[in-house]
Amino acid sequence: MTSLAGAVPRMMRPAPGQNYPRTGFPLEVSTPLGQGRVNQLGGVFINGRPLPNHIRHKIVEMAHHGIRPCVISRQLRVSHGCVSKILCRYQETGSIRPGAIGGSKPKVTTPDVEKKIEEFKQTTRVCSAGKFEINYLRTEFVIEIPFLQSALSVASLRSKFGKGEDEDDLERKEQEEQEKRTKHSIDGILRERGTSLYTFPAGTDLYIHNDVH
DNA sequence: GCCGTCACGGTTGAA
DNA sequence: CATTCAACCGTGACG
């Protein structure tokens, strides 16, 4: 034992081609989701997954109060790189939401397709693409521009039309999903018991928040 | 000590 | 239905 009890092993940046050892993470926490970890600050995170919404909110809110990123990082136990990233994005986009994870890029439409969509929009005065519009356009293109059949995706058509669902709907759905997830996560379980993984050790200069529940 | 940036392993979901 | 792959994630180290 050369290190103090409870000391966090340093994770060195690996040489090119070298992988991080899985045990490089100081502590693994078993959760119903199976992959909770504890970072150097003692915060719990799920590798590869976005931070929970309430933490993201908290980061932005604290920054609004003029609290410095390094303090936010320590109090919320989130790495400063992450705090920096979230605040940067918030400044750029005004949104605290994580980007869309997964999926493929929409396939590119061609000028012909663009033209057809514009015509369609003008003649029908439709400005969002529902199932009917998508199917109609696909049928049109198959007849008139057969080679495009495979290139047409719902996503590419939708992107040209604008979203069929409005932002509020998406936001609401996402929130519901989040609630479902957190209810079954370790954080959710602890919070049901009145504990939070993001509570601070006694004596810490706490940032007061009452809206956690 | 603070902060921006980067490489990394991991997750996700459309194609 | 299974696989592929490019997007994103947060962490932790470097400068």
Side-chain angles (χ1 to χ4, degrees), chain A residues 1-9:
Chain A
M1 269 296 210
T2 54
S3 59
L4 292 171
V8 174

Side-chain angles (χ1 to χ4, degrees), chain A residues 58-68 72 207:
Chain A
K58 196 65 67 187
I59 290 171
V60 171
E61 193 184 317
M62 288 171 79
H64 257 291
H65 282 81
I67 298 172
R68 301 177 64 176
I72 298 175
Y207 177 77

Side-chain angles (χ1 to χ4, degrees), chain A residues 48-196:
Chain A
R49 300 294 300 142
L51 283 174
N53 253 344
H54 69 277
I55 296 296
R56 308 179 82 89
H57 259 113
K58 196 65 67 187
I59 290 171
V60 171
E61 193 184 317
M62 288 171 79
H64 257 291
H65 282 81
I67 298 172
R68 301 177 64 176
C70 59
V71 178
I72 298 175
S73 162
R74 281 194 293 263
Q75 291 205 349
L76 296 183
R77 301 187 182 190
V78 171
S79 67
H80 95 263
C82 180
V83 170
S84 165
K85 193 169 164 182
I86 288 174
L87 290 177
C88 272
R89 176 174 303 180
Y90 181 69
Q91 277 183 345
E92 280 173 15
T93 68
S95 170
I96 65 157
R97 294 159 65 183
I101 302 173
S104 305
K105 269 188 175 175
K107 287 177 178 172
V108 187
T109 55
T110 68
D112 281 341
V113 177
E114 306 247 358
K115 195 178 157 201
K116 197 76 189 173
I117 290 172
E118 270 313 306
E119 281 173 20
F120 182 75
K121 280 166 79 172
Q122 288 196 349
T123 53
T124 62
R125 293 174 174 266
V126 166
C127 55
S128 71
K131 272 185 186 170
F132 169 78
E133 287 79 17
I134 295 292
N135 283 334
Y136 174 83
L137 282 168
R138 287 183 127 167
T139 312
E140 279 287 291
F141 292 133
V142 172
I143 293 167
E144 294 192 20
I145 321 172
F147 70 91
L148 280 177
Q149 184 179 13
S150 63
L152 284 172
S153 68
V154 172
S156 62
L157 288 172
R158 283 234 160 98
S159 72
K160 294 295 161 190
F161 259 96
K163 292 177 174 125
E165 282 179 299
D166 69 35
E167 284 281 319
D168 285 348
D169 273 0
L170 286 175
E171 183 101 29
R172 200 168 50 242
K173 277 183 186 171
E174 193 177 278
Q175 212 150 19
E176 282 169 10
E177 279 298 308
Q178 183 75 34
E179 275 170 24
K180 272 188 218 165
R181 279 196 295 268
T182 52
K183 248 199 157 167
H184 295 93
S185 72
I186 187 167
D187 191 26
I189 290 164
L190 288 174
R191 287 208 281 154
E192 276 191 5
R193 295 185 190 165
T195 319
S196 171

